[in-house]
Each structure stands twice: as structure tokens, then as C-alpha cells.
Amino acid sequence: MKSSLLIILIVLFTTLSEGVCCGIRWNRAGTFFRDINKVGELDYWSSIGKVRLGKYHYPINIIFREKTNYNANYLGAGSQIPLLETKIAQSDENTFKLLLPDGNQVELLRDKKNPTVLFSKGNTWVGEISDSQIDVKASCGWVLKYKNGKIARVVTPDNKFISYKYSGELVQEIIDIESNEVLLSLNYNQGGNLIESMEFEDGVEPIHFDFSERPIVRLINGKPIIDQIQLSLIGIKNSDQKLASYGYPLLENLFPAFEVGGKKTFYFEPLSGKVLRENDWMYSAKVRESNHTTIVRKKLDSDEFESWDYNKGKGVLIVENKDLKTERSWFKSGKLLSRDREITRLDKRTGINTVEKFYYDEEGVLLKKMITDYKQGLIDKVLNKYVEEYTYTPDGELNTIVKRRKTS
């Protein structure tokens, strides 16, 4: 449990703070609970294949989000395939929401001095508006070109141009413009908007999609009611085998569920999509103002629990289980944006607390780190005290780390 928590924390500390990842990561942004998003909603990801974009192959993700548009194209109610559905939409006068081809989402703000320019926090993405077209660029080379909000072209970091060909409102093919190769093609159910099969380049075996009707439950006057019946994805297969299966059972109280391959079942609130239970784990989520969320899960018939308290407004993250508690704070503005301020780790089994404090120069370069181990009690007892000092090459690369024990 201890090592797994520390690994999760390393991932979280490099993804939850702003401006630390460039462009498209092709996997889900870090969250503490694997299939639960930052506000406690179902957010189940699966990769169903790969597509070549330029020099490299990238995963094709599908995402099950209960709050997804129930009349959705491509995969039906409750599911998304972001490679095809990537889009940009204006949410208010000065804010735009960008769904990336990998499934992660970015908020873009309008520049106050130049209203045709957009930027994300940390300037990971910068956009430009020209009539009905919006181009967004990442500092590492990705360029996404949208026409009337829908994806039209992608430019890869190795400067390859990828085009989306539509039939009506639906993507029909993804094409390498230079070679005119079809990288991915879609076949739809007769007269419909759901993917029947997906064909790849280079003779890779096509995959096929199965759908079935499912009840859609909504809260009406505080009570769950079956509001409508919609088609949803229930299986993915090739010619030889079933690759994945999904189900949508209902509890007796009409609260909906999402089942993955008979191995994992999520139960959640109608309408909100907040997860209440995952197999033997019970969940509770509290979302406060100022981007402050607390999610706790407890294992049935056990003292095991895990807690995730993320206060984006203050720049503080607290992660805890029955053995360990870790609190991290970071800077919220200026040249130290997203850099660590202090990390505290408490081992509840030993009562030993480790505190790391970070010191930077005026340009935001890490100069030293103070590390203190102490035993908690009526009077805290200092066990060890160290300082790590850092030097850099003229090019700004880390050169040496000197660790010294402090005696006072």
C-alpha cells in the first residue's frame, strides 16, 4: 500500500498542477482514483487500437462518462471516442472548452488585449480565431485546426499533416495528406450514426462494435425515473474474439450501473454521474467552491480507506490512507507557478513526519531543499535534518546535487 500510494502521488504531483504537460499526452490526466474524475464522476478509459499520425502510432481511446450526451454519435449514449469527437466550443464570452483527441480537456481564455487570441493556463496551448476557424497550438509542436468547432486538420510534432474527411456530420476517414494514405476509416450502421466497424492501414484487422438498448434514468422531482431508451455500446470484437464487453444494469431503486467485462461494476447517481460504489469500495464526494474537492472511498467490512482532498484555489493537495498522509503545496502565480512549496509525509505507523521545503532564485530555479525528519509526540523530536543544494551547467541542466547533514 505504501509504495503504490507514493507512485500515485508522483504522478499526481506532476499532472494536477498547471502547465507541466505539453500538448497531447494520449493517456488520461492524473487523478487519484483511476476511473473517477476530479469531482467524483464516472470516467472510465479504454484503448481499442492505434492510429498512425505522422511518424508515430497513438492510442484510440474510448471514454465512458455517464454525463455524456445521450444522443451521441459514434458510440451511443454515455460513451465518447475523442479522436473523432475532438472539438472546441465557446462556454461564455471569454472562455472556450477544448476536447483533445486523447480525451483530456483544456480550458482556453480569451486574451483581454487581443480578443482573437486564446491561451490556456501555463500557456500549454495558444489559439487563434479567424472567422469560423480556430487553430490551437502546443509548444511542443501539435497543431489542431477546427472549423465551426469540429476538427478539420492535425499537424504533428514531426510536421506531418493529417486531414479529417466527413460524410455529413460524421468523420468518414482520417488521411495522411502528403501520402494520401487512409490511416483510419469508419463504417456506420445503415442510415445511422453509430460505428459498425473501424478499418486501419497496413492490413491491421478491423474491429467491430455491438450496440443494445439501455434505459436512461433521470431524477424527476427527486425520484429516479426511466426517461427514455437509447442505444449504447455493449461490445467490441474482431473476427476471432471478443475484445471487450460492457453492461448497464439497474438497481432495484433504479440507480444505474456500468459493468466492465463482468469484473468491475460502478453504481452512480442518476443525472450527476457521481460514483457511489465500485465493487467493494463505497465512494463519497464533496465539491466546494473555489475548485476544492474531497473524495473518500472506504472498503466494505474493512478499515481500509483512501482520501483525496484537492484544493486548486489554495494550491494544496492532501492524500491519505490508514497508514500514510501526504500534503503538498505549490505556488499559484509568477515565475514559480506550479513549483513545489512544501511537501509533508506522515507515516502513521511510526509517527515519523518528513518535511521538505523548497527554495528558488528570483528566476524560479531550484537552489536547495531542506529535509527534516521528526517523531511526533507531546514534544516533537527532530531525528534528522538535511539540506540538498543544486548547481547547474551554463545551459541550465542540472549538474550536481550536494546533500549535507545539518547539526543545528
Side-chain angles (χ1 to χ4, degrees), residues 250-255:
L250 290 180
L251 297 178
E252 290 184 4
N253 61 4
L254 292 187
F255 273 40

Side-chain angles (χ1 to χ4, degrees), residues 39 286-294 309-316:
V39 293
K286 182 181 291 186
V287 181
R288 307 174 183 87
E289 296 180 356
S290 303
N291 294 310
H292 185 186
T293 302
T294 303
D309 188 292
Y310 178 49
N311 192 330
K312 185 178 180 181
K314 290 186 177 181
V316 177

Side-chain angles (χ1 to χ4, degrees), residues 36-129:
I36 314 293
N37 69 13
K38 296 175 187 177
V39 293
E41 300 166 350
L42 177 68
D43 196 37
Y44 182 87
W45 290 49
S46 180
S47 178
I48 61 172
K50 292 187 177 182
V51 60
R52 180 173 63 84
L53 302 177
K55 183 178 180 181
Y56 301 104
H57 286 77
Y58 298 98
I60 303 171
N61 297 324
I62 60 172
I63 305 172
F64 294 85
R65 289 173 173 146
E66 181 57 20
K67 292 179 70 174
T68 299
N69 179 10
Y70 287 126
N71 296 307
N73 294 325
Y74 300 111
L75 296 181
S79 306
Q80 283 183 312
I81 182 164
L83 180 69
L84 308 180
E85 298 183 65
T86 173
K87 61 184 178 180
I88 188 167
Q90 188 170 0
S91 53
D92 60 43
E93 183 180 356
N94 297 308
T95 307
F96 291 74
K97 300 293 186 182
L98 173 63
L99 173 65
L100 294 171
D102 62 356
N104 289 299
Q105 301 179 69
V106 177
E107 183 178 81
L108 297 171
L109 304 176
R110 194 190 296 271
D111 190 294
K112 294 180 180 179
K113 296 181 179 179
N114 188 344
T116 63
V117 173
L118 307 174
F119 63 92
S120 66
K121 293 180 180 179
N123 289 319
T124 302
W125 289 94
V126 176
E128 184 175 0
I129 303 172

Side-chain angles (χ1 to χ4, degrees), residues 356-359 366-371 386-390 400-406:
E356 299 180 1
K357 295 185 177 181
F358 300 80
Y359 299 86
L366 179 63
L367 297 179
K368 66 178 180 179
K369 179 169 64 173
M370 298 288 296
I371 306 168
Y386 297 92
V387 59
E388 286 185 358
E389 296 176 332
Y390 305 89
T400 61
I401 302 176
V402 177
K403 186 172 183 178
R404 294 185 291 105
R405 184 168 183 170
K406 292 182 68 68

Side-chain angles (χ1 to χ4, degrees), residues 248-387:
Y248 308 89
L250 290 180
L251 297 178
E252 290 184 4
N253 61 4
L254 292 187
F255 273 40
F258 171 63
E259 186 179 75
V260 184
K263 297 180 179 179
K264 185 179 288 190
T265 303
F266 301 88
Y267 301 94
F268 42 84
E269 293 179 346
L271 192 63
S272 76
K274 284 189 171 55
V275 173
L276 302 173
R277 179 174 173 178
E278 174 201 345
N279 291 357
D280 293 334
W281 291 92
M282 302 297 294
Y283 286 80
S284 64
K286 182 181 291 186
V287 181
R288 307 174 183 87
E289 296 180 356
S290 303
N291 294 310
H292 185 186
T293 302
T294 303
I295 303 175
V296 179
R297 74 171 189 170
K298 297 180 180 180
K299 196 166 189 179
L300 294 173
D301 302 320
S302 171
D303 63 349
E304 287 189 57
F305 79 95
E306 293 176 325
S307 173
W308 182 83
D309 188 292
Y310 178 49
N311 192 330
K312 185 178 180 181
K314 290 186 177 181
V316 177
L317 172 67
I318 302 172
V319 176
E320 184 177 5
N321 63 25
K322 68 184 183 69
D323 296 324
L324 299 170
K325 181 178 181 179
T326 300
E327 179 173 344
R328 178 215 174 201
S329 63
W330 59 88
F331 293 92
K332 291 294 297 172
S333 62
K335 292 184 177 180
L336 296 182
L337 175 67
S338 302
R339 295 181 186 269
D340 289 322
R341 184 192 296 269
E342 183 174 307
I343 298 177
T344 301
R345 299 181 180 91
L346 169 64
D347 189 325
K348 300 178 185 179
R349 296 161 297 187
T350 63
I352 295 177
N353 226 329
T354 300
V355 179
E356 299 180 1
K357 295 185 177 181
F358 300 80
Y359 299 86
Y360 305 85
D361 68 11
E362 58 185 12
E363 296 299 319
V365 176
L366 179 63
L367 297 179
K368 66 178 180 179
K369 179 169 64 173
M370 298 288 296
I371 306 168
T372 305
D373 296 327
Y374 63 91
K375 178 83 170 181
Q376 282 191 324
L378 294 176
I379 299 177
D380 292 340
K381 178 182 178 182
V382 175
L383 303 177
N384 293 298
K385 206 169 195 177
Y386 297 92
V387 59

